């Protein structure tokens, strides 16, 4: 028996509760993991609060991240005792995820836990930090170096935004943070932001082309914000898009792309090939200041998940939430 957050839907409606589950109910998979830590991401909060169509079948254990120890495996790449890590692959949506003390998964979804991190640290980073690293690597791949100019990070108080600022600052970039919570300016400066701007300056409908400013940007907001970023990106600049907090629509024109050669790079972290994941985590081991984890992260127990998800959806949670499955 193990404890888990269980989402269900029946004639009585949508329900979420902390449950005790028998091992026999675990889904199919070739690796069984004793989960030590998981996380509470925006996508998890959408699922738990039923604010978005995240869950594809019921019942479902949410949680897009997990780190733990292999207990059983028929996958030749893993053996009992191995420390492993998972981000994405649709867990918590179509396959039971990490907000449980045990998980049964496909071995191809797992990577070894990097030696540089404990399970707790890996989950402090989680999908948010891993996605931020993929976005930074996309900027680099397209030629954006620190000498090219300012980098804009939107959704700065969220997990992706916080890690993007910390990584970029450590690499020597000048980072401008866009936030709707100006009272968090000191936190963003501690992470490495050199300037704070109000998200309202980007969130309304704008012109097809605006004054050139950004050499690059990492955007987790979408909608008008992303359109305005593209419109104000400098010649041959790069915008890495990885979220839709404002909305899925993209009310833009082709002007920034055909007149300024702007690159819009889509960042998918869910279905990324294994080698890309390994490379991103290797970069995190060298390019992320561990001291930033204490600033970015708070830890909760499984019993606190539902309430914290409600707070996250209200914009009351800063940075990352790590869920300790061992208590």
């Amino acid at each position: 028996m193990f404890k888990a957050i269980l989402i269900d839907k029946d004639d009585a409606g949508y329900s979420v509760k902390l449950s005790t589950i028998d091992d026999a109910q675990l889904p199919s998979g070739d690796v069984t993991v004793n989960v030590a830590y998981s996380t509470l991401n925006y996508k998890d909060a959408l699922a738990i609060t039923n604010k978005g169509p995240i869950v594809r079948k019921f019942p479902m254990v949410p949680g897009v991240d997990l780190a733990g120890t292999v207990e059983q495996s028929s996958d030749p790449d893993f053996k009992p005792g191995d420390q492993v890590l998972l981000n994405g692959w649709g867990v918590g949506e179509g396959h039971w995820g990490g907000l449980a003390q045990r998980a049964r998964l496909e071995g191809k979804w797992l990577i070894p836990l990097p030696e540089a991190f404990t399970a707790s640290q890996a989950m402090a980073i989680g999908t948010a930090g891993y996605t931020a690293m993929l976005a930074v690597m996309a900027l680099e791949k397209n030629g954006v170096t620190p000498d090219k100019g300012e980098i804009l990070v939107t959704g700065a108080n969220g997990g992706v935004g916080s890690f993007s600022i910390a990584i970029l600052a450590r690499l020597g970039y000048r980072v401008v943070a866009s936030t709707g919570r100006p009272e968090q300016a000191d936190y963003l400066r501690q992470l490495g932001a050199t300037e704070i701007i109000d998200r309202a300056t980007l969130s309304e409908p704008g012109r097809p082309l605006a004054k050139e400013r950004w050499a690059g940007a990492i955007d987790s907001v979408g909608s008008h914000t992303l359109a305005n970023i593209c419109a104000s990106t400098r010649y041959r600049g790069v915008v890495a898009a990885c979220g839709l907090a404002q909305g899925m629509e993209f009310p833009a024109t082709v002007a920034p792309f055909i007149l300024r050669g702007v690159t819009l790079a889509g960042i998918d972290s869910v279905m990324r090939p294994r080698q890309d994941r390994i490379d991103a985590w290797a970069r995190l081991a060298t390019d992320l200041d561990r001291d930033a984890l204490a600033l970015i992260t708070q830890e909760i127990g499984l019993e606190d998940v539902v309430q914290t998800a409600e707070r996250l959806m209200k914009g009351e949670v800063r940075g990352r939430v790590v869920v300790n499955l061992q208590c």
Side-chain angles (χ1 to χ4, degrees), residues 11 49 51 55 63 86 104 147 214 236 240 242 255 279:
D11 293 341
T49 61
K51 297 289 177 60
V55 179
L86 181 142
R104 185 166 293 142
D147 61 297
W214 321 114
R236 300 203 72 179
C242 58
D279 292 346

Side-chain angles (χ1 to χ4, degrees), residues 7-212:
I7 300 174
D8 209 349
K9 185 178 182 181
D10 54 26
D11 293 341
Y14 197 91
S15 66
V16 183
K17 62 182 179 180
L18 177 58
S19 302
T20 300
I21 301 174
D22 191 284
D23 282 14
Q25 293 178 256
L26 284 166
S28 62
D30 50 16
V31 180
T32 301
V33 176
N34 287 322
V35 182
Y37 291 90
S38 185
T39 62
L40 182 65
N41 291 281
Y42 182 72
K43 183 181 284 186
D44 302 321
L46 283 172
I48 290 167
T49 61
N50 197 23
K51 297 289 177 60
I54 301 299
V55 179
R56 299 198 296 269
K57 64 180 183 179
F58 298 91
M60 178 58 57
V61 173
V64 303
D65 294 323
L66 64 85
T69 305
V70 173
E71 182 185 84
Q72 296 178 340
S73 174
S74 58
D75 184 312
D77 289 335
F78 299 101
K79 65 183 185 302
D82 285 349
Q83 301 293 299
V84 293
L85 169 66
L86 181 142
N87 307 113
W89 290 113
V91 299
E93 303 174 62
H95 188 97
W96 283 17
L99 287 171
Q101 293 173 321
R102 288 166 67 77
R104 185 166 293 142
L105 308 152
E106 297 296 330
K108 63 184 179 182
W109 299 340
L110 301 169
I111 65 170
L113 179 70
E115 292 184 3
F117 301 116
T118 65
S120 176
Q121 288 173 328
M123 288 296 94
I125 297 166
T127 286
Y130 153 63
T131 301
M133 192 71 249
L134 290 172
V136 171
M137 292 167 71
L139 298 184
E140 293 175 336
K141 181 179 179 180
N142 286 281
V144 179
T145 50
D147 61 297
K148 295 293 178 65
E150 295 176 317
I151 308 298
L152 174 68
V153 175
T154 64
N157 282 296
V160 174
S162 295
F163 279 109
S164 296
I165 294 167
I167 295 167
L168 288 165
R170 185 176 174 88
L171 291 172
Y173 291 87
R174 176 178 169 83
V175 184
V176 178
S178 168
T179 180
R181 288 184 271 173
E183 71 276 7
Q184 299 288 343
D186 287 346
Y187 160 73
L188 297 173
R189 290 192 176 94
Q190 283 181 283
L191 290 177
T194 54
E195 184 180 343
I196 316 298
I197 63 173
D198 193 316
R199 69 183 180 193
T201 62
L202 295 165
S203 61
E204 299 298 323
R207 295 183 295 172
L209 281 178
K211 182 179 179 180
E212 296 180 57

